[in-house]
């Protein structure tokens, strides 16, 4: 099966001349009109890339299907508001559970040094689920070269392994806050790897994020019982790897048109080999195996739930992007992270200071400033239409009053 036939049908529909012309239609004239056309064309290209990342569902006859699934249930014909509600609820359930299990695992006495072994279990679960989903949707053909997957697998191992290991040394809300600030290394990686240029708004968002992280770290250093610099080094390394992997994935997904099922299976299965070799050479594998074997319920049991929740969460987020768009998905996941932090303070005893709140507000502002930069023409158009309608109604109201 060639890559053209294996693309999701929505991507094919978007690129037809009729739909392209429809998406490029605008209400304004002059320079604003041209700016909006460029912005919307960029959104079409971005949506095409997102669709290539989504699972490619095929029927047994090989015909592509655009059906929307949630935990195996077909919700394609549900009203869009109900699809959004179900998917958003699933994101909150899966990721809140994921965060809770991650912190719970590292709260277990003696678990702190075994973050890489836990990542190995997580990678094996993701690999098995990715392969199983590929079999279900008949999407087992590999499109991307293995040498590229060896690089992506290494970066995936670095970002997830360092992120998991950092939980053993960081206040969990601090780890979540750092993971919210991917824009900073992504912006740097985009400049270095793809030669991208960023505007003043993106740069301002990155500066605000940096300020928020500094304030959060300073607050953590004041109230944390034990301040561990290595935790910050680990999570910073995870963010750097995440920035590189995002740019590498985007570049090669566009080039080869691989599906998310393929990406998950090869990235995590090859990454499992890397982690296995590393843990054996470092000696962590043997000590971790003995520790996990002595406490199977709190380690393997929790780890299995942790991995399954993470895998399901990733797939639901991709499905929400397909249904409601990237902006809505980012909004839902941002509120989910805020709730994760709040629940972490409520469910697990830890010191709190208002500086955490102010730092979080600054980072939230930076996130939406970055979103505005990506959707500037569209948002400006909506604002102009709103103001025009408001002024029009106000004018008629004044006439009626006279």
């Amino acid at each position: 099966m060639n890559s053209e036939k294996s693309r999701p049908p929505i991507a094919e529909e978007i690129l037809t001349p009729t739909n392209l012309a429809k998406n490029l239609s605008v209400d304004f004239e002059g320079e604003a009109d041209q700016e909006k056309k460029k912005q919307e064309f960029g959104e079409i290209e971005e949506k095409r890339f997102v669709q290539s990342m989504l699972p490619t569902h095929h029927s047994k006859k090989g015909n592509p299907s655009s059906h929307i699934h949630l935990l195996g249930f077909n919700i394609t014909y549900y009203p869009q508001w109900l699809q959004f509600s179900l998917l958003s609820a699933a994101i909150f359930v899966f990721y809140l559970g994921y965060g809770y299990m991650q912190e719970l695992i590292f709260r277990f006495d003696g678990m702190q040094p075994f973050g890489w072994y836990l990542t190995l279990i997580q990678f094996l679960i993701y690999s098995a689920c990715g392969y199983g989903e590929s079999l279900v949707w008949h999407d087992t053909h590999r499109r991307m070269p293995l040498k590229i997957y060896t690089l992506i697998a290494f970066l995936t191992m670095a970002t997830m392994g360092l992120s998991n290991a950092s939980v053993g040394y960081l206040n969990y809300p601090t780890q979540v806050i750092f993971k919210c600030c991917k824009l900073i290394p992504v912006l740097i990686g985009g400049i270095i790897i793809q030669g991208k240029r960023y505007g003043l708004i993106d740069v301002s968002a990155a500066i605000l994020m940096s300020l928020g992280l500094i304030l959060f770290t300073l607050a953590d250093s004041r109230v944390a019982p034990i301040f561990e610099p290595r935790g910050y080094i680990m999570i910073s390394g995870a963010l750097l790897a995440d920035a590189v992997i995002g740019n590498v994935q985007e570049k090669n997904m566009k080039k080869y048109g691989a599906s998310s099922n393929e990406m998950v299976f090869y990235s995590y299965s090859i990454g499992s080999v890397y982690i296995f070799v590393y843990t054996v050479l470092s000696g962590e594998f043997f000590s971790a195996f003995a520790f996990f074997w002595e406490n199977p319920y709190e380690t393997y049991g929790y780890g299995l739930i942790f991995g399954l929740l993470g895998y399901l969460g990733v797939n639901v987020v991709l499905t929400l992007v397909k249904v409601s768009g990237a902006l809505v998905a980012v909004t839902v996941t941002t509120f989910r992270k805020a709730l994760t932090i709040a629940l972490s303070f409520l469910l697990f005893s830890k010191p709190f200071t208002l500086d955490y709140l102010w730092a979080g507000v600054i980072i939230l502002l930076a996130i939406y400033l970055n979103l505005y930069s990506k959707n500037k023409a569209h948002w400006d158009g909506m604002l102009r239409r709103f103001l025009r309608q408001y002024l029009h109604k106000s004018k008629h109201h004044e006439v009626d009053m006279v």
Side-chain angles (χ1 to χ4, degrees):
M1 183 181 295
N2 58 39
S3 61
E4 292 297 325
K5 290 183 179 179
S6 64
R7 285 178 182 168
I10 291 182
E12 295 173 1
E13 180 182 348
I14 288 173
L15 295 177
T16 59
T18 302
N19 289 322
L20 186 59
K22 186 186 298 181
N23 279 290
L24 293 177
S25 62
V26 292
D27 299 328
F28 307 101
E29 303 294 334
E31 294 182 1
D33 188 34
Q34 294 297 323
E35 182 185 357
K36 188 171 182 181
K37 284 183 179 181
K38 291 179 182 178
Q39 177 69 24
E40 292 190 354
F41 183 78
E43 290 174 357
I44 292 171
E45 290 298 309
E46 183 178 357
K47 190 171 184 180
R48 178 182 179 182
F49 169 65
V50 170
Q51 293 301 330
S52 70
M53 286 291 291
L54 292 167
T56 308
H57 299 172
H58 299 278
S59 66
K60 292 183 178 180
K61 296 180 180 180
N63 297 321
S65 169
S66 60
H67 287 180
I68 299 166
H69 292 85
L70 175 61
L71 298 179
F73 293 98
N74 191 336
I75 62 172
T76 307
Y77 304 107
Y78 290 14
Q80 190 167 10
W81 68 266
L82 183 55
Q83 293 177 356
F84 168 77
S85 300
L86 292 172
L87 292 169
S88 298
I91 287 173
F92 275 85
V93 170
F94 292 146
Y95 273 114
L96 289 177
Y98 177 87
Y100 175 79
M101 294 306 301
Q102 187 177 35
E103 187 165 8
L104 182 64
I105 290 171
F106 281 96
R107 286 270 172 165
F108 187 64
D109 189 34
M111 181 64 197
Q112 187 183 44
F114 302 133
W116 282 101
Y117 189 80
L118 177 65
T119 307
L120 174 61
I121 295 173
Q122 187 178 7
F123 269 49
L124 291 173
I125 292 171
Y126 280 33
S127 302
C129 291
Y131 183 68
E133 195 173 357
S134 296
L135 292 177
V136 170
W137 301 120
H138 303 277
D139 183 31
T140 55
H141 176 66
R142 178 174 57 81
R143 301 171 187 84
M144 195 179 296
L146 277 175
K147 64 179 182 180
I148 296 177
Y149 277 125
T150 57
L151 172 62
I152 293 176
F154 176 80
L155 294 170
T156 304
M157 174 197 73
T159 187
M160 293 189 67
L162 289 171
S163 179
N164 283 339
S166 70
V167 180
Y169 305 96
L170 279 180
N171 192 356
Y172 186 73
T174 304
Q175 192 247 22
V176 175
I177 282 290
F178 266 80
K179 289 170 69 175
C180 289
C181 297
K182 294 178 182 180
L183 170 65
I184 301 170
V186 166
L187 185 144
I188 297 172
I191 294 173
I192 297 175
I193 297 174
Q194 300 194 58
K196 290 183 176 181
R197 293 185 178 182
Y198 295 93
L200 178 61
I201 297 177
D202 287 313
V203 175
S204 300
I207 292 173
L208 282 176
M209 280 189 180
S210 302
L211 176 62
L213 286 179
I214 291 171
L215 293 176
F216 212 95
T217 303
L218 289 174
D220 214 29
S221 65
R222 286 197 300 269
V223 301
I226 301 176
F227 184 73
E228 285 277 4
R230 77 179 102 174
Y232 293 93
I233 295 173
M234 288 177 177
I235 194 62
S236 298
L239 284 181
L240 289 174
D242 203 19
V244 178
I245 192 175
N247 286 283
V248 172
Q249 282 180 331
E250 179 181 354
K251 180 179 179 180
N252 288 285
M253 289 293 297
K254 287 179 178 178
K255 183 176 181 180
Y256 297 102
S259 69
S260 64
N261 293 334
E262 175 188 328
M263 178 69 70
V264 167
F265 173 67
Y266 284 98
S267 298
Y268 288 98
S269 57
I270 296 173
S272 299
V273 177
Y274 289 158
I275 298 176
F276 176 75
V277 172
Y278 169 75
T279 53
V280 168
L281 293 178
S282 66
E284 180 180 330
F285 180 87
F286 305 102
S287 55
F289 182 83
F291 177 79
F292 276 51
W293 188 258
E294 291 175 1
N295 309 278
Y297 179 76
E298 295 86 353
T299 53
Y300 287 118
Y302 288 176
L304 177 62
I305 299 172
F306 169 68
L308 289 174
L309 289 173
Y311 181 82
L312 292 171
V314 168
N315 278 272
V316 175
V317 168
L318 286 173
T319 307
L320 182 61
V321 172
K322 179 180 180 181
V323 171
S324 302
L327 174 60
V328 173
V330 169
T331 301
V332 172
T333 55
T334 299
F335 280 107
R336 188 275 306 171
K337 289 174 182 176
L339 186 57
T340 297
I341 293 173
L343 287 177
S344 178
F345 279 108
L346 290 174
L347 299 177
F348 299 96
S349 60
K350 53 176 65 70
F352 177 79
T353 172
L354 281 177
D355 291 344
Y356 283 146
L357 182 60
W358 299 125
V361 169
I362 292 173
I363 291 173
L364 184 64
L365 175 62
I367 291 172
Y368 281 94
L369 193 61
N370 176 240
L371 286 175
Y372 171 73
S373 173
K374 292 180 179 179
N375 300 273
K376 186 176 185 299
H378 180 63
W379 287 15
D380 287 349
M382 291 176 61
L383 180 61
R384 282 195 293 266
R385 283 194 294 271
F386 172 77
L387 291 175
R388 190 163 56 213
Q389 291 174 1
Y390 176 77
L391 293 174
H392 181 71
K393 289 180 180 179
S394 298
K395 185 177 180 181
H396 276 282
H397 180 69
E398 290 177 0
V399 172
D400 291 339
M401 290 291 290
V402 174

